[in-house]
């Protein structure tokens, strides 16, 4: 028999290992490197390793904030619920809206390289054909839409296969890059230094792009209602996932600096991993990394669909968007109306992308615009964690550092990067990024006037939540002689 929670999603589908895989796949290592390396190089030159490092430190603060908030409020809306219950419902709604808008834009930004690279496997000359790349990318997107519609169990099984092959290829190329003898430049520790940036605005631009690299790990929080022991699992998986992709990102960015010239990086654009692969393993390497990027792109389309549809589901359930979005399919326990709505919106954007400029220009503007949205809602989540835990922060030094200072550092960094980068971004990126946020004000005001209970929240307080947990005692764990088949995998 199928079991569902009173909220409609199927509980206990994901185990610990599944959730870690989702966190890694959400950050999309191969895709992020392919789509963003040339953009990052254009912003900070050889300072890519430094941008990734100095963004990772505050990013871990945001991961800690999510982990702590997830312990006291298990909600598919994640930041949308947490920010609304600690800071203000208006900010909470805009936080959720920023994720929804960024993820919908990403459907195009993510699918275009998948289409382009798939075409390059057939005929390299077709890779720059934007309308054809958009059509093939839309095909990949529709396949993932159907997988996500089929339920969390089918989704995680597909993810295990795609991400497993991707990780084998990437780790293999990291080792091959270390053993490679050819050099375009000597390794330089200054690539990790602050001197690589041209002032605060240059640093902010690099940080915003680096934030896009890491973005996606928070899918673990959006899946919390479908995860076993999610109060612990979601945060742990996010920490492990971000740590793993940080090492991969640094290794490949250094390899690009060492093995490719500046002209090769700029010319390659979104095909930079193909060029790197050819340099490491002529004839075969480029093709293998193309396969890794396609798998990574398709895998992260899946996790992004999970994020946006679960967020829309939570908003529909709270009546802050049309209530139909909170409808769950009776057989698959998935928010099928939200999935259909995202699919329709993304296909309209695919049509617009097909008539737009080059794949590289679309990617550059989309990455920067999404970076603005990410910085906005991550920054709010960091503050929300400090506010929720304010009554317990001074109980220990550990609480103060991990629950207060580090999340606050992450929040300050994200919001600073948001403001500081406004003067550096193109008009198109600003229009998409800020215009998308402002668009959310319309449904906010409409459903606020309709009297949604979301706008009269029960305040989120860690001390009260922990006291309630202690009153009820620990949840008993039932051991049986057979493994629970509701989990796809587990440790």
């Amino acid at each position: 028999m199928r079991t569902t929670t009173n909220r409609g999603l199927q509980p206990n589908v994901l185990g610990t290992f599944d959730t870690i895989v989702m966190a890694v796949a959400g950050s999309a290592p191969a895709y992020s490197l392919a789509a963003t390396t040339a953009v990052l190089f254009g912003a900070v030159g050889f300072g890519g390793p430094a941008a990734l490092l100095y963004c990772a430190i505050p990013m871990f603060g945001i991961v800690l904030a999510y982990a702590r908030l997830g312990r006291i409020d298990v909600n598919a809306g994640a930041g949308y619920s947490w920010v609304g219950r600690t800071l203000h419902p208006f900010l909470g709604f805009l936080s959720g809206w920023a994720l929804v808008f960024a993820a919908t834009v990403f459907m195009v930004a993510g699918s275009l390289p998948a289409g382009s690279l798939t075409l390059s496997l057939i005929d390299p000359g077709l890779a720059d054909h934007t309308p054809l790349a958009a059509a093939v990318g839309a095909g990949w997107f529709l396949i993932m839409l159907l997988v996500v519609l089929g339920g969390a169990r089918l989704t995680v099984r597909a993810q295990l296969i795609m991400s497993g092959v991707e990780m084998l290829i990437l780790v293999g190329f990291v080792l091959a890059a270390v053993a490679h003898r050819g050099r375009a430049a000597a390794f330089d520790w200054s690539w990790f230094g602050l001197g690589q940036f041209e002032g605060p605005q240059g640093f902010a631009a690099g940080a915003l792009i680096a934030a896009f690299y890491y973005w996606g790990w928070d899918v673990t929080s959006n899946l919390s209602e479908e995860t076993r022991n999610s109060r612990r699992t979601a945060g742990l998986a996010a920490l492990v996932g971000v740590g793993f992709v940080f090492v991969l990102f640094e290794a490949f960015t250094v390899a690009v600096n060492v093995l490719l010239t500046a002209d090769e990086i700029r010319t390659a654009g979104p095909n930079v991993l193909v060029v790197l692969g050819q340099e490491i393993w002529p004839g075969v390497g480029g093709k293998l990394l193309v396969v890794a990027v396609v798998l990574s792109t398709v895998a992260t389309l899946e996790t992004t669909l999970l994020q946006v549809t679960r967020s829309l589901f939570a908003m529909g359930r709270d009546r802050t968007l049309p209530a139909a979005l909170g409808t769950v399919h009776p057989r698959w326990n998935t928010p099928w109306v939200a999935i259909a709505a995202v699919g329709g919106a993304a296909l309209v954007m695919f049509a617009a992308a097909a008539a737009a400029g080059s794949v590289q220009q679309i990617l550059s503007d989309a990455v920067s615009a999404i970076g603005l949205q990410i910085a906005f809602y991550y920054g709010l989540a960091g503050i929300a964690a400090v506010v929720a835990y304010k009554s317990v922060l001074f109980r220990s030094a550990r609480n103060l550092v991990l629950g207060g200072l580090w999340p606050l550092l992450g929040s300050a960094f994200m919001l600073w990067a948001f403001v500081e980068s406004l003067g550096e971004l193109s008009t198109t990126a600003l229009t998409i990024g800020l215009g998308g946020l402002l668009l959310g004000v319309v449904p906010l005001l409409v459903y606020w006037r309709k009297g949604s209970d979301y706008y009269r929240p029960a305040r989120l307080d860690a001390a009260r939540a922990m006291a309630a947990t202690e009153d009820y005692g620990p949840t008993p764990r039932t051991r049986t002689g057979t493994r629970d088949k509701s989990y796809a995998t587990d440790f």
Side-chain angles (χ1 to χ4, degrees):
M1 292 180 61
R2 289 182 179 273
T3 58
T4 61
T5 65
N6 60 347
R7 294 173 172 180
L9 298 175
Q10 186 175 5
N12 297 334
V13 179
L14 304 177
T16 306
F17 182 71
D18 305 323
T19 315
I20 291 173
V21 170
M22 286 295 187
V24 172
S27 293
Y31 165 77
S32 297
L33 288 162
T36 321
T37 298
V39 179
L40 184 62
F41 188 86
V44 298
F46 287 102
L52 290 167
L53 171 62
Y54 296 118
C55 185
I57 295 170
M59 184 63 74
F60 274 109
I62 303 301
V63 176
L64 288 170
Y66 267 71
R68 292 170 71 83
L69 288 165
R71 290 177 194 169
I72 56 176
D73 182 20
V74 176
N75 192 294
Y80 154 79
S81 173
W82 304 331
V83 174
R85 293 182 62 189
T86 54
L87 304 183
H88 195 280
F90 284 7
L91 291 175
F93 180 86
L94 289 177
S95 179
W97 180 265
L99 188 153
V100 168
F101 190 86
T104 306
V105 171
F106 177 79
M107 299 307 169
V108 176
S111 298
L112 279 176
S116 179
L117 290 167
T118 302
L119 290 170
S120 74
L121 290 172
I122 302 168
D123 181 357
L126 296 174
D128 293 326
H129 195 286
T130 303
L132 196 54
V136 176
W140 278 119
F141 169 75
L142 288 174
I143 292 171
M144 286 301 100
L145 197 74
L146 294 175
V147 171
V148 170
L149 182 63
R153 185 176 291 111
L154 173 63
T155 301
V156 75
R157 285 172 178 165
Q159 193 63 255
L160 288 168
I161 295 170
M162 293 185 293
S163 295
V165 176
E166 176 198 354
M167 290 305 109
L168 284 174
I169 295 173
L170 289 181
V171 172
F173 269 90
V174 166
L175 298 175
V178 172
H180 190 69
R181 294 184 178 180
R183 295 286 187 274
F187 173 80
D188 193 336
W189 283 107
S190 70
W191 295 340
F192 294 89
L194 291 170
Q196 294 289 333
F197 306 107
E198 295 182 2
Q201 285 193 330
F203 179 69
L208 208 61
I209 296 167
F212 178 82
Y213 273 81
Y214 296 111
W215 177 55
W217 55 264
D218 46 315
V219 66
T220 61
S221 296
N222 296 107
L223 290 170
S224 60
E225 293 182 29
E226 298 156 270
T227 303
R228 181 173 69 115
N229 192 20
S230 64
R231 294 183 190 277
R232 168 189 174 274
T233 303
L236 172 65
L239 284 167
V240 174
V242 173
F244 181 77
V245 297
F246 166 71
V247 174
L248 271 181
F249 289 151
E250 288 287 15
F252 269 91
T253 306
V254 169
V256 167
N257 281 1
V258 170
L259 300 179
L260 303 181
T261 65
D263 286 340
E264 285 176 324
I265 298 170
R266 293 191 191 96
T267 304
N271 295 317
V272 68
L273 279 196
V274 179
V275 177
L276 179 66
Q278 287 294 101
E279 175 65 29
I280 294 173
W281 191 356
V284 179
K287 296 286 186 184
L288 276 176
L289 281 179
V290 166
V291 171
V293 174
V294 171
L295 287 172
S296 178
T297 307
V298 174
T300 200
L301 280 176
E302 184 182 88
T303 58
T304 307
L305 275 166
L306 288 170
Q307 274 196 284
V308 68
T309 55
R310 269 50 178 182
S311 297
L312 287 173
F313 165 76
M315 291 169 143
R317 183 174 64 192
D318 292 343
R319 305 296 196 273
T320 55
L321 283 178
L325 294 170
T327 305
V328 174
H329 194 279
R331 179 179 178 186
W332 299 317
N333 300 119
T334 52
W336 70 272
V337 176
I339 292 170
V342 171
L347 289 176
V348 170
M349 295 175 70
F350 276 116
S358 69
V359 172
Q360 185 170 353
Q361 186 57 47
I362 294 171
L363 275 177
S364 179
D365 291 333
V367 165
S368 297
I370 292 171
L372 277 177
Q373 310 261 351
I374 296 166
F376 176 77
Y377 83 82
Y378 276 176
L380 290 178
I383 298 173
V386 176
V387 172
Y389 278 85
K390 65 181 183 297
S391 59
V392 299
L393 288 181
F394 293 98
R395 291 184 182 178
S396 70
R398 183 174 181 272
N399 264 356
L400 180 61
V401 174
L402 298 183
L405 298 180
W406 206 342
L408 200 58
L409 167 67
S411 174
F413 181 85
M414 293 296 166
L415 296 177
W416 172 81
F418 177 93
V419 173
E420 193 70 25
S421 63
L422 293 178
E424 291 288 302
L425 299 182
S426 68
T427 303
T428 304
L430 285 173
T431 301
I432 297 171
L434 296 181
L437 272 179
L438 291 174
L439 190 63
V441 175
V442 177
L444 185 158
L445 294 176
V446 169
Y447 286 90
W448 171 60
R449 289 178 65 85
K450 287 185 177 182
S452 167
D453 287 341
Y454 173 83
Y455 293 105
R456 297 184 296 275
R459 304 299 294 176
L460 191 59
D461 180 79
R464 208 162 40 232
M466 290 187 291
T469 302
E470 289 171 4
D471 289 343
Y472 285 106
T475 303
R477 295 182 62 181
T478 303
R479 294 184 179 274
T480 63
T482 58
R483 181 181 172 184
D484 188 339
K485 298 300 183 184
S486 65
Y487 316 135
T489 65
D490 207 343
F491 280 127

